[in-house]
Amino acid sequence: MITGWGNYIPKKFKTNIFYPKNIIELKKLLSRKNCKYAAIRGNGRSYGDSSIGEKIISIRDFEKKIKIDYKNKILHCSANCTMGEINEVLIKKNFFFKVTPGTKFVTIGGAIASDIHGKNHHLEGSMSETIKEIELLLSNKKIIKCSKFKNKDIFKATTGGMGLTGVILSAKIKLKKIKSEYIYERKIVSNNLKETIDHFEKYRNWEYIVSWIDMSAKNLSLGRGITYLGKHTNNKIIEKNRDRTFKIFFPSFFLNNFFLKIYNKLFFHISKINKEREIHLNQYFYPLDKIKNWNNLYGKKGFIQVQVLLKNKNVLKNLTRLIEFFQINKKYSFVTSLKKLGKKNNNYLSFPEYGYTIAMDIKYSNDIEKFHNKLENELKKINAKLYLTKDSLMRSDFFKYTYPELKKFKKIKIKIDKKIFFQSSQSKRLSMI
């Protein structure tokens, strides 16, 4: 059974997955009678069903190419390369991505399709701000190039478009020069939500900033957490990190509400130690990647991640209301992160815009769909929206309400994919096509 990273599938169906090895085999697939539509899949790191369908095309087996113009700080690479594979090349030469998500195992194609954002969105924006050019295979087998200056509407539909405009084959991406592979990290403790938000304002000029939130804390301690500030340093320390792999699914009682409450309290107090340090950038940007399949911690039925964007207006009030909603419904998160986002871009389905985004991992339960429906009703009241890349259960009406430029996306989609070849379980559920 093919799943998203959350291992949760609300609807089970048989899946055929194709692995073309080159562009010739890929184009043949577009003409096959038994492949009239398909979802595009990278490394399977989107949480829900955005890369799942009855037919799936993966370009995993394509030859991977990485070319770097160090003088002009431009990366040209195949879309099936992961950010981790590219980092191995970049970091040795003291280069890095301008924007990186919380995992290095996402492919470049997946990062573009999700228009990913990182701990520096308040300064750098999302992935699409760094894209010079995208090479895209359309359903009519034509290969085109798009950017902010060429085929602009297709670019705006592709970046954040969840793989529904075509197969991203390669991309040219702007890079940044760094002094070393190490990050100076400073931890700031906050005793409540107001202090946490104040830290984002006070330290807004730091290169990177993210907060962990204790979702179990209530009353005067509600929203307490640890804010992690970061900036590149010229440290040359050699540090070895061992990755851990869980090859089994954990029993269903693991990560239950009692455990999660205790874990949150312990983590808050332990994190107060060692407030300043220099660590490898992998440890700062991709902490969970050390446990390669940490998603198995949630058991066979998996989990969903809920990532919410709350706009700047009444953010303290609305974030308080949201955290209390999760507590009232007894939904506790293993890892809860809060980030401040900068300005909205021009892409039709991109997630970030001015405000704060909070992400929570919620273990499967029998009432998970009912809970999610209640959550959407709550989010409507505070003018909040959900991230498509993390989505597993969003309803079509809520999606249409919170993504007002969907009509513009659909217009481009039907123009370049008349037969609606590229579709996924998510795109059907949300009526995106």
Side-chain angles (χ1 to χ4, degrees), residues 110-174:
I112 293 170
S114 297
D115 197 15
I116 55 97
H117 56 277
K119 299 173 177 67
N120 60 347
H121 189 275
H122 61 296
L123 297 177
E124 294 282 3
S126 56
M127 181 76 168
S128 58
E129 301 303 314
T130 74
I131 302 295
K132 292 276 289 182
E133 185 179 82
I134 297 170
E135 184 183 32
L136 185 71
L137 174 67
L138 304 180
S139 58
N140 63 7
K141 303 182 208 174
K142 183 180 179 182
I143 297 175
I144 66 164
K145 292 179 179 179
C146 60
S147 69
K148 289 184 179 180
F149 308 102
K150 184 178 182 180
N151 292 315
K152 291 184 287 186
D153 286 339
I154 297 176
F155 179 84
K156 289 191 288 185
T158 299
T159 47
M162 305 308 294
L164 298 175
T165 59
V167 182
I168 299 171
L169 300 174
S170 69
K172 291 181 180 179
I173 303 168
K174 291 181 279 187

Side-chain angles (χ1 to χ4, degrees), residues 353-396:
E353 54 186 286
Y354 277 123
Y356 287 81
T357 180
I358 185 168
M360 298 151 284
D361 295 336
I362 307 298
K363 185 180 177 182
Y364 171 83
S365 59
N366 291 331
D367 68 340
I368 194 72
E369 291 188 36
K370 183 179 179 180
F371 164 75
H372 202 278
N373 291 344
K374 288 168 61 179
L375 173 63
E376 287 179 15
N377 294 334
E378 191 71 15
L379 294 180
K380 269 190 176 182
K381 296 173 185 176
I382 57 176
N383 196 24
K385 68 178 182 180
L386 296 166
Y387 189 18
L388 285 168
T389 301
K390 308 297 178 68
D391 161 56
S392 299
L393 290 169
M394 199 186 331
R395 290 176 294 184
S396 176

